[in-house]
Amino acid sequence: MTTIADELTIERRGHQGSAARRRTNFVIFLGPAIILTVLFFVVPVIIDITVSFTDLSRSLRISEFTTEQYEKVFRTDRRLSQVIGLTFIYVFGTLAIFNVTFGLILAITTTAIRNVSGSFFRGVWLLPRMSPSVLYILLWLWAVSPTEAGLVNQVLMQAFGLDAPLDLLTSAPIALIIISNGFIGASMGMIIFTAAIRGIPEHLFHAAAVDGAGTFATIRFITLPALRWPISFVTIYQTLSLLVSFEYILLLTKGGPFYDTTVYALYVYRRAFESGQYGYGAALALFLIVIGVIVALIGWRFFDMERLLQRPRIEVH
């Protein structure tokens, strides 16, 4: 009886020790992440919701708690529909043309040539992403300068005989912000797609070559199916990133001319920090959070991302 009791005691202590070890591991490995998430995500959202129900303005005084800011969003702000439409064009255009399609073309092209040449080209393409945003936009401002000194106008006037310089900042501002953001965004897709292509087993390409498959058939039946998950991830991630980013637009066009390139995130910034309507800006920012959550859920469901993150079938203890 004594031996059985001792074994039960040892087993109970083992379970208690295992539970204590799990709690310790939880605190050590997840504790910092939980604290940072609360500080930088949860607390700001709570502050934003609180401010959105006030009349906080440039005077930094709260005189009452009100729903006036939300009434303004739904009823009186006539410019908001234009801003939302422009945001859709900006996000869809940048994502479809550059972040996914052009990034995919760059990855396929640079992995099809010699490794040294491909690596050099990818390194050069990554330079703008590694450079300060201000420097990148300064180069764009020089390139599209509406004078004869601008790079684009020099090419058009000397190579194509254009009579007068073009002012692309005024005549095509939306195309300009899509292209300038797209050149940066394509580099991320290029790196992720390149890594995925490198991970495709070589024997599949050799088997396709033996079967007589051409370049496009190999891309269609081997490369693209293997890139399903990277394409899904880049699409969702870059959509959310484009929804909230506006620094390149602010530096390049300042949202103008007038509000022609003011996307939703920049509109929130201009309302809150240029007009001093902090309460209204907080209400607009709250809708941006809601839009981001809805887009993420739709993307999660549409691309069936749960299969990508499914639990491994082999348990390792």
Side-chain angles (χ1 to χ4, degrees), residues 179-196:
I179 295 171
S180 60
N181 277 275
F183 270 59
I184 288 276
S187 59
M188 178 185 172
M190 175 187 69
I191 294 300
I192 292 177
F193 298 148
T194 297

Side-chain angles (χ1 to χ4, degrees), residues 4-23:
I4 294 175
D6 291 341
E7 289 178 353
L8 288 174
T9 303
I10 293 172
E11 185 176 357
R12 191 179 304 111
R13 287 177 179 173
H15 287 302
Q16 290 174 350
S18 178
R21 191 163 51 250
R22 283 199 298 270
R23 285 195 293 272

Side-chain angles (χ1 to χ4, degrees), residues 62-119:
I62 299 174
S63 59
E64 62 176 348
F65 286 92
T66 174
T67 59
E68 179 186 350
Q69 313 301 347
Y70 293 97
E71 293 175 7
K72 193 185 297 184
V73 171
F74 288 108
R75 294 181 180 177
T76 60
D77 194 343
R78 297 179 180 176
R79 187 168 291 119
L80 197 54
S81 58
Q82 174 197 339
V83 170
I84 293 173
L86 171 65
T87 305
F88 175 78
I89 295 172
Y90 163 70
V91 172
F92 183 77
T94 308
L95 189 71
I97 298 173
F98 288 99
N99 292 8
V100 176
T101 305
F102 196 53
L104 187 59
I105 292 172
L106 288 173
I108 292 174
T109 305
T110 56
T111 52
I113 60 179
R114 292 178 56 197
N115 193 26
V116 175
S117 303
S119 299

